[in-house]
Amino acid sequence: QVQLVESGGGSVQAGGSLRLSCAASGSTANTYCLGWFRQGPGKKREGVAAIDSDGRTTYANSVKGRFTVSRDNARNTLILQMDSLKPEDTAMYYCAADPGIGGSCVAGFSYWGQGTQVTVSS
């Protein structure tokens, strides 16, 4: 069982930055695929970024070049650095985890956090 707790959300003006963190409990969390998702008002949930146990990353086209996902395995923490924020980035952001296949991100996610709100004003 893995528990995930997000933090770092808030309100920022367009062009600003925020850093989201996700603390993962469980001794095996550092071998999992970890990801960030978001759901804006009236929108479907969408994948933002993911990182596998070897540190390989993938990003949604809408955030490439602006967001950076990383993981600190020693602290069982997932990070999302968000720069050059836009109003359309406004959403509830969720972190997720899954053992995948050997920690690779090939399947859906089994574990989810409660989310942290990000609001970007123009």
Side-chain angles (χ1 to χ4, degrees):
Q1 189 76 11
V2 175
Q3 291 186 327
L4 304 170
V5 179
E6 303 96 335
S7 61
S11 297
V12 65
Q13 289 191 325
S17 298
L18 282 174
R19 183 180 175 91
L20 305 184
S21 296
C22 176
S25 67
S27 60
T28 58
N30 61 5
T31 65
Y32 282 24
C33 167
L34 303 174
W36 287 100
F37 290 75
R38 67 185 181 186
Q39 187 166 16
K43 297 181 180 179
K44 293 182 179 179
R45 187 176 64 192
E46 62 174 350
V48 175
I51 183 167
D52 69 14
S53 59
D54 290 327
R56 287 183 290 259
T57 58
T58 57
Y59 295 92
N61 287 334
S62 58
V63 306
K64 280 182 181 177
R66 299 188 299 121
F67 290 11
T68 303
V69 63
S70 61
R71 63 193 296 163
D72 183 341
N73 287 335
R75 293 179 172 83
N76 275 356
T77 300
L78 175 68
I79 302 293
L80 185 67
Q81 177 66 41
M82 305 186 295
D83 299 316
S84 303
L85 282 160
K86 304 176 181 180
E88 50 264 43
D89 295 318
T90 294
M92 184 72 79
Y93 282 72
Y94 300 89
C95 72
D98 193 85
I101 299 176
S104 60
C105 300
V106 294
F109 287 84
S110 301
Y111 304 101
W112 294 83
Q114 294 298 308
T116 185
Q117 178 68 40
V118 171
T119 302
V120 185
S121 59
S122 57

